[in-house]
């Protein structure tokens, strides 16, 4: 009897350890169109709000404006439908954050639930990065607003309009290039994902990690505990332990640099017009750099998020803000990394 020849395949990573953290990815080209579109989508509401003397309107519109980050290389029909669903999902996540942000337990629960659902749905339908991350982010922002349902109607409506603007800008490419991209096939659906133990367990793990991270942040007395949650959610987007470890270091290092950039901008007390231009510039740089290296992108993601969150607050203590964001980011990254090591099966760590 002829023996079968067994071939052992050994895979090696060219960029392990610290080299992997700072490795610059090679991509065919920079995403100029997406970067310009995202910059306009995030900056334009800011400038409109400054024009009418209501800068908070621009900030709220930016919640729906995150819809523009989900533009990918799909057909225009797919894009039109996907961006509508993303806009609705972001606004619902934001609204649920506002409604459920009245206690530490309800806040932790809603962030955990949104993390579970967004991970599950985005995995089931193979939504590329940023996947479910921004649904957790906007839910977290909502929990910090502390409004009643009545007073929340205006912010929710403005966020929805910001998403509608993002839809228009995202679809504007059709006017310049009507050549239809080949429609991609989506093999997964939510029904198939329910039978896929990998997707379901990963979703449960992410939801549980965000729930625990938020509870720990409250227990430690952090002023804005959702920052711990979104840092944890960010690193848990990694598909393997190695990627999660890299993302933990990348987010920590990038945040450490980014908070000082944000502090420097806020310390100058720039006009709302200048802040709008800063938001557009930062968003453009994020989209251009994130395809190359996540750590360098976080350097600009951090001040962008802080400008959106802190603009309009008269009581901002910049040194305290820098210290808090650093501690919250480190804690969130540590919880995400610990979750991956402790809960993931050994076979899924490679």
């Amino acid at each position: 009897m002829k023996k079968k020849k067994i071939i052992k395949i050994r895979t090696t990573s060219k960029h392990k350890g610290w080299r992997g953290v700072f490795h610059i990815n090679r991509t065919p080209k920079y995403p100029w169109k997406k970067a310009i579109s995202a910059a306009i989508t995030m900056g334009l509401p800011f400038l409109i709000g400054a024009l009418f003397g209501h800068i908070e309107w621009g900030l709220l519109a930016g919640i729906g404006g995150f819809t523009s980050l989900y533009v990918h290389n799909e057909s225009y029909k797919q894009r039109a439908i996907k961006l509508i669903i993303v806009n609705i999902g972001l606004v619902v996540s934001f609204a649920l954050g506002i409604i459920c942000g009245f206690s530490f337990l309800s806040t932790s629960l809603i962030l955990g639930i949104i993390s579970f659902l967004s991970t599950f749905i985005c995995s089931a339908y193979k939504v590329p990065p940023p996947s479910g991350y921004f649904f957790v982010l906007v839910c977290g922002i909502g929990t910090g607003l502390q409004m009643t349902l009545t007073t929340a109607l205006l912010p929710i409506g403005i966020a929805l309009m910001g998403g509608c603007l993002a839809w228009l800008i995202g679809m504007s490419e059709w006017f310049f290039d009507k050549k239809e991209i080949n429609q991609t096939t989506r093999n997964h659906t939510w029904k198939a994902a329910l039978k896929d133990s990998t997707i379901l367990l990963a979703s449960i793990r992410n939801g549980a990690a965000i729930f625990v991270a938020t509870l720990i942040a409250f227990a430690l007395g952090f002023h804005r505990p959702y920052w711990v949650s979104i840092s944890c959610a960010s690193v848990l987007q990694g598909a393997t332990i190695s990627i999660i470890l890299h993302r933990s270091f990348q987010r920590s290092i990038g945040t450490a640099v980014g908070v000082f950039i944000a502090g420097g901008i806020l310390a100058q007390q720039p006009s709302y017009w200048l802040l709008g231009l800063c938001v557009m510039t930062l968003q453009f740089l994020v989209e251009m750099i994130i395809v190359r290296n996540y750590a360098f992108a976080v350097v600009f993601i951090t001040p962008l998020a802080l400008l959106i969150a802190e603009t309009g607050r008269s009581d901002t203590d910049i040194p305290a803000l820098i210290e808090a964001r650093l501690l919250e980011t480190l804690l969130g990254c540590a919880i995400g990394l610990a979750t991956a090591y402790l809960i993931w099966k050994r076979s899924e760590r490679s």
Side-chain angles (χ1 to χ4, degrees):
M1 184 176 177
K2 188 177 180 180
K3 293 183 178 179
K4 293 182 179 179
K5 186 178 180 181
I6 299 175
I7 302 174
K8 293 183 179 180
I9 300 175
R10 183 177 64 180
T11 58
T12 58
S13 175
K14 188 179 178 181
H15 302 285
K16 291 183 178 180
W18 288 101
R19 289 186 64 191
V21 173
F22 297 105
H23 172 62
I24 305 298
N25 299 318
R26 293 183 178 181
T27 57
K29 57 182 179 179
Y30 284 102
W32 291 96
K33 291 180 181 178
K34 184 177 181 180
I36 293 171
S37 175
I40 294 173
T41 303
M42 293 301 296
L44 188 58
F46 214 107
L47 296 175
I48 293 173
L51 178 64
F52 289 97
H54 289 279
I55 194 64
E56 67 277 8
W57 292 357
L59 300 174
L60 292 168
I63 299 293
F66 288 131
T67 300
S68 65
L69 304 181
Y70 290 83
V71 172
H72 295 102
N73 193 30
E74 64 266 299
S75 69
Y76 292 123
K77 181 180 178 181
Q78 284 180 319
R79 183 181 300 178
I81 296 171
K82 183 177 76 170
L83 294 186
I84 290 173
I85 295 172
V86 168
N87 183 20
I88 293 172
L90 288 171
V91 173
V92 169
S93 299
F94 178 57
L96 288 174
I98 294 175
I99 295 168
C100 299
F102 57 86
S103 74
F104 76 93
L105 184 58
S106 61
T107 298
S108 303
L109 278 172
I110 194 59
L111 283 168
I113 291 169
I114 293 297
S115 176
F116 165 77
L117 290 174
S118 60
T119 302
F120 180 80
I121 294 171
C122 290
S123 299
Y125 289 95
K126 299 182 179 179
V127 177
S131 304
Y133 171 71
F134 278 97
F135 298 95
V136 179
L137 173 64
V138 300
C139 181
I141 293 174
T143 62
L145 294 183
Q146 298 178 346
M147 295 180 173
T148 64
L149 182 58
T150 305
T151 56
L153 290 177
L154 178 61
I156 292 170
I158 293 174
L160 183 62
M161 288 190 290
C164 292
L165 176 63
W167 186 93
L168 290 172
I169 294 174
M171 295 303 298
S172 63
E173 187 181 343
W174 180 82
F175 292 100
F176 305 101
D177 183 10
K178 296 186 179 181
K179 185 179 179 181
E180 192 69 51
I181 301 169
N182 291 331
Q183 188 167 347
T184 55
T185 330
R186 300 295 181 195
N187 295 324
H188 279 192
T189 63
W190 66 269
K191 291 181 180 179
L194 283 172
K195 299 175 184 180
D196 188 331
S197 61
T198 304
I199 292 177
L200 188 57
L201 289 175
S203 304
I204 293 172
R205 282 192 295 261
N206 285 14
I210 300 305
F211 173 73
V212 172
T214 312
L215 284 179
I216 292 174
F218 271 107
L220 293 176
F222 284 114
H223 184 51
R224 293 185 179 85
Y226 68 83
W227 196 272
V228 176
S229 311
I230 63 177
S231 296
C232 181
S234 174
V235 300
L236 283 176
Q237 287 189 90
T240 66
I241 290 291
S242 176
I243 295 174
I244 288 176
L245 181 61
H246 283 177
R247 288 182 74 91
S248 298
F249 283 124
Q250 288 172 329
R251 183 153 189 101
S252 301
I253 295 167
T255 300
V257 178
V259 289
F260 287 101
I261 295 176
I265 295 173
L266 291 171
Q268 301 302 316
Q269 298 182 340
S271 66
Y272 289 149
W273 293 99
L274 186 56
L275 278 172
L277 293 176
C278 286
V279 167
M280 294 179 75
T281 303
L282 290 169
Q283 185 64 64
F284 176 80
L285 291 173
V286 167
E287 294 302 320
M288 292 293 285
I289 296 172
I290 200 166
V291 295
R292 302 283 174 167
N293 183 277
Y294 181 69
F296 297 136
V298 173
V299 170
F300 301 105
I301 291 173
T302 300
L304 175 64
L306 286 176
L307 288 180
I308 291 174
E310 300 299 328
T311 296
R313 297 179 185 269
S314 57
D315 58 342
T316 301
D317 184 340
I318 295 176
L321 175 70
I322 292 173
E323 181 183 0
R325 292 301 85 81
L326 283 174
L327 291 175
E328 289 160 358
T329 299
L330 290 173
L331 178 60
C333 292
I335 294 172
L337 188 58
T339 301
Y341 269 105
L342 296 175
I343 300 180
W344 282 23
K345 293 180 181 178
R346 185 181 297 273
S347 60
E348 294 174 347
R349 293 181 183 176
S350 60

